[in-house]
Amino acid sequence: KAKMTRRGSHVIFEAAIRQELESRLTLESELALAADRGEFELFYQPQVRLIDGSLVGAEALIRWKHPVRGYVSPGEFMPVVNTSALSERIANWVMETACRQARDWELAGSGVRVAINLSPSQLHSGDLAHSVATLLESTGLTPSLLEIEVTEDILLNDEGRVLDMFKRIQQLGVRILFDDFGTGYASLSYLKKFPLDGLKIDRSFVSGLLSNSDDAAIVGSTIGLSKQLGLTVVAEGIEDRATADFLVSMGCEEGQGYFFGRPMPAAAFEKQFLAAELGAASAA
Ligand code: C2E
Ligand code: MG
Ligand code: MG
Ligand code: MG
């Protein structure tokens, strides 16, 4: 009887795996179709100087504009993209679209930087530094207006290669920031190993800042550490003024979060943020 049960659960288990594989394959082919149809879009979220709320940059965040489901978040499809054959194609699209957009804004007279999130395949296959150089040349974008955000999982393998790539990218004048800082296993050792220009303190530490003294201690010392290492520090996930004020009191320079603005289509970003920046510039 025991044998029967085991055999039964084995069959159920197999069915579950098969189902998961099938839904993954379905999603993969939907994503390939979405790429063909141009259903991906970049949203932009403002990054500000905390002391006066002035605009300094925008993070480009991908969305899938699904014909039925509406805008789909990257958390729902990027894990599949990043482990599929589509990875390089979408990563290249993100980089090119963001650079073109940044150049348009630069030509309009804005000094806003644009940050892109790197996908794992971009560091581990092909020559990212060369692609970035080519893109800067073809768009005419000033290199210091481009930022690249990398997460710890991307840095895990092939240290020598990553190090070499980072150096060459920085030689172009493009800045590299450590994203989701503090959530990985070896954040500190990566600060030592890789030449980084700044770090972004993960939202999970920022959101509890006012109510949790451990979070406050972690954020405070991360800000101190960044300064001592000469790194720019950006706080992610700021949702209210009190958190922003507290971060200023701790010496944090830059921030990003729903309090300042949600990620939004380029046209909305231009209207809500760039118009004011350009107005102020021409009035000055
Ligand atoms: P991330 O790079 O850490 O981006 C920040 C995420 O936090 C974004 O989620 C943003 O919408 C969200 N966020 C910003 N401020 C707040 C806030 O005040 N409160 C809350 N609750 N959330 C806030 P999103 O757009 O869903 O992106 C999730 C992740 O997907 C990103 O995390 C990034 O790792 C990845 N991703 C997004 N776009 C791309 C892309 O073009 N390429 C690659 N490779 N990854 C991307
Ligand atoms: Mg990011
Ligand atoms: Mg982040
Ligand atoms: Mg993240």
Side-chain angles (χ1 to χ4, degrees):
K1 195 173 183 217
K3 219 176 186 171
M4 279 292 290
T5 312
R6 226 177 298 142
R7 186 158 168 74
S9 63
H10 180 70
V11 170
I12 292 170
F13 185 58
E14 256 187 21
I17 289 185
R18 198 177 320 117
Q19 209 165 47
E20 197 172 308
L21 263 172
E22 273 166 13
S23 69
R24 196 206 135 96
L25 287 177
T26 308
L27 182 55
E28 246 187 75
S29 54
E30 279 178 359
L31 286 163
L33 216 58
D36 291 339
R37 294 177 176 155
E39 288 173 2
F40 293 106
E41 199 176 317
L42 289 185
F43 272 23
Y44 296 87
Q45 184 180 33
Q47 298 179 325
V48 305
R49 207 165 70 143
L50 287 174
I51 198 133
D52 58 3
S54 61
L55 184 74
V56 290
E59 179 173 5
L61 295 156
I62 196 169
R63 297 291 181 268
W64 175 12
K65 195 173 182 176
H66 192 282
V68 179
R69 293 168 64 201
Y71 284 116
V72 183
S73 301
E76 285 186 52
F77 63 87
M78 284 309 277
V80 170
V81 166
N82 286 340
T83 52
S84 78
L86 272 175
S87 176
E88 221 174 289
R89 181 171 168 204
I90 291 179
N92 286 334
W93 177 84
V94 167
M95 213 156 61
E96 206 176 308
T97 307
C99 284
R100 284 225 193 92
Q101 184 61 81
R103 176 58 176 164
D104 282 353
W105 289 338
E106 181 183 13
L107 286 172
S110 163
V112 74
R113 306 181 307 236
V114 171
I116 57 168
N117 293 282
L118 216 59
S119 292
S121 65
Q122 288 177 283
L123 263 183
H124 300 293
S125 70
D127 187 342
L128 178 68
H130 180 72
S131 315
V132 171
T134 307
L135 207 50
L136 288 172
E137 212 174 83
S138 68
T139 58
L141 177 67
T142 296
S144 60
L145 295 180
L146 180 64
E147 270 180 5
I148 291 178
E149 297 186 3
V150 294
T151 47
E152 183 170 323
D153 55 315
I154 293 183
L155 303 177
L156 278 175
N157 303 306
D158 229 344
E159 253 168 48
R161 183 185 162 84
V162 172
L163 195 67
D164 171 65
M165 211 61 92
F166 277 13
K167 284 185 186 149
R168 288 171 51 215
I169 289 169
Q170 286 169 323
Q171 272 164 13
L172 298 169
V174 173
R175 294 174 3 118
I176 301 175
L177 275 80
F178 194 156
D179 202 354
D180 302 345
F181 184 79
T183 58
Y185 293 103
S187 300
L188 286 178
S189 75
Y190 287 114
L191 285 190
K192 186 177 154 87
K193 250 173 237 162
F194 297 105
L196 294 157
D197 299 287
L199 57 85
K200 301 185 73 177
I201 305 176
D202 191 67
R203 172 160 60 89
S204 59
F205 302 107
V206 175
S207 59
L209 208 51
L210 298 172
S211 53
N212 184 315
S213 59
D214 290 346
D215 285 344
I218 291 168
V219 170
S221 30
T222 304
I223 294 167
L225 176 72
S226 311
K227 296 205 153 171
Q228 297 222 322
L229 294 173
L231 302 172
T232 302
V233 57
V234 185
E236 296 191 297
I238 303 172
E239 295 189 354
D240 50 61
R241 170 169 304 282
T243 303
D245 289 346
F246 191 34
L247 284 160
V248 170
S249 77
M250 290 194 290
C252 187
E253 294 149 7
E254 295 181 10
Q256 175 180 352
Y258 292 173
F259 174 63
F260 301 104
R262 287 182 180 252
M264 62 189 86
F269 184 81
E270 288 170 6
K271 230 161 100 183
Q272 278 185 51
F273 293 95
L274 288 181
E277 192 212 3
L278 294 174
S282 63

